Amino acid sequence: MPPLTGDGGARVARNVRQVRDLCTRCVGSEECEGDGEKAGSGDGYVGSSEKKFLTLPTILTLARVAAVPALLAVFYCEEKWATTAGATIFVVAAVTDWLDGYLARKMGSSSEFGAFLDPVADKLMVATTLVLLCTRPPVAALAKVGPWLLPVPAITIIGREITMSALREWAASQGGDVRQAVAVNSLGKWKTAAQMVALTLLLAGRDGGGGVALGAAGVSLLYVSAGLAVWSLVVYIRSMWNRLAQ
């Protein structure tokens, strides 16, 4: 191929310089970082450099936090609808706990803020409900069994959650196998399921509308949840200890 001369060679040289300048700007630009690509935006980018602070799953988690004072308000309300409203608030919060995780995975919209806020919202709702139930036992007949009936599982569950939070924070600082040792397992999921059902039953039957049977079922499940909470804590600690000993 003969060499380019004259205007043709000048145009080629000018194009080369433009491409080089464009590449130089692109390398220094945040829009071209590998973990910030725009996916499916239709403007020529493959991914997105913007990390949304308020995604739909995060909004649902924030709504769960906002539900805590709402539950507190209706719990001490003397109106007939208050019991149903309190149980409904808790059930909706429990559903959004599952829904926000599902949407985050389905939509690929998980965020560091959402991952931080989700367990905080869960613990706030559960701890608030346990404390409220301890201040006003759900069924008078069950309260006569002893003042310790609800505080014992409540202290066990809240204490376990505080301990696990501290363990996970420490394990995260260690990284590697230690961090994997405190990852959520099936035992923890069963504990959460029993806990949510128990608290729903206790909230629904706190005015005696469901009879002693409903309250007894709620208390029994709460003790099952407390037992699973302690068991799962022991499993986590043993797993972490074994990995540290390796």
Side-chain angles (χ1 to χ4, degrees):
M1 179 178 179
L4 296 173
T5 57
D7 293 341
R11 283 196 299 270
V12 171
R14 187 166 55 253
N15 290 338
V16 170
R17 286 195 300 270
Q18 290 176 350
V19 171
R20 182 187 60 195
D21 294 340
L22 179 62
C23 291
T24 302
R25 288 195 301 270
C26 185
V27 170
S29 172
E30 292 182 357
E31 294 181 354
C32 298
E33 291 182 0
D35 57 351
E37 296 173 340
K38 297 183 179 178
S41 60
D43 56 359
Y45 286 87
V46 181
S48 175
S49 62
E50 296 182 1
K51 291 184 177 180
K52 291 185 178 180
F53 183 74
L54 285 180
T55 61
L56 179 57
T58 304
I59 292 173
L60 290 175
T61 305
L62 288 171
R64 202 156 69 249
V65 175
V68 172
L71 177 62
L72 178 62
V74 301
F75 187 84
Y76 291 109
C77 183
E78 299 298 334
E79 300 295 333
K80 293 182 179 180
W81 50 263
T83 298
T84 302
T88 301
I89 290 172
F90 187 83
V91 170
V92 171
V95 171
T96 60
D97 182 24
W98 168 82
L99 185 60
D100 60 11
Y102 172 79
L103 290 177
R105 293 187 298 270
K106 192 75 173 178
M107 301 168 58
S109 57
S110 59
S111 65
E112 293 182 0
F113 177 67
F116 155 76
L117 188 62
D118 183 69
V120 173
D122 297 343
K123 290 173 176 56
L124 279 175
M125 178 58 73
V126 170
T128 299
T129 305
L130 287 170
V131 172
L132 290 175
L133 289 170
C134 288
T135 62
R136 183 178 290 183
V139 181
L142 293 176
K144 294 179 181 179
V145 175
W148 49 266
L149 188 65
L150 288 180
V152 168
I155 292 172
T156 301
I157 292 171
I158 294 174
R160 183 265 186 192
E161 296 300 332
I162 294 173
T163 305
M164 276 305 305
S165 296
L167 281 176
R168 285 200 168 104
E169 183 176 354
W170 179 81
S173 67
Q174 302 301 306
D177 291 342
V178 178
R179 185 174 183 177
Q180 291 296 322
V182 292
V184 177
N185 58 26
S186 59
L187 190 59
K189 293 179 180 178
W190 279 107
K191 180 268 301 180
T192 300
Q195 185 174 273
M196 294 303 181
V197 174
L199 293 178
T200 300
L201 293 177
L202 290 172
L203 285 172
R206 71 182 182 89
D207 61 351
V212 177
L214 186 63
V219 172
S220 300
L221 268 177
L222 193 62
Y223 271 87
V224 170
S225 174
L228 290 173
V230 174
W231 185 11
S232 63
L233 178 62
V234 172
V235 171
Y236 285 129
I237 293 176
R238 182 183 299 172
S239 176
M240 189 170 60
W241 181 267
N242 291 338
R243 297 193 182 219
L244 286 171
Q246 290 179 355

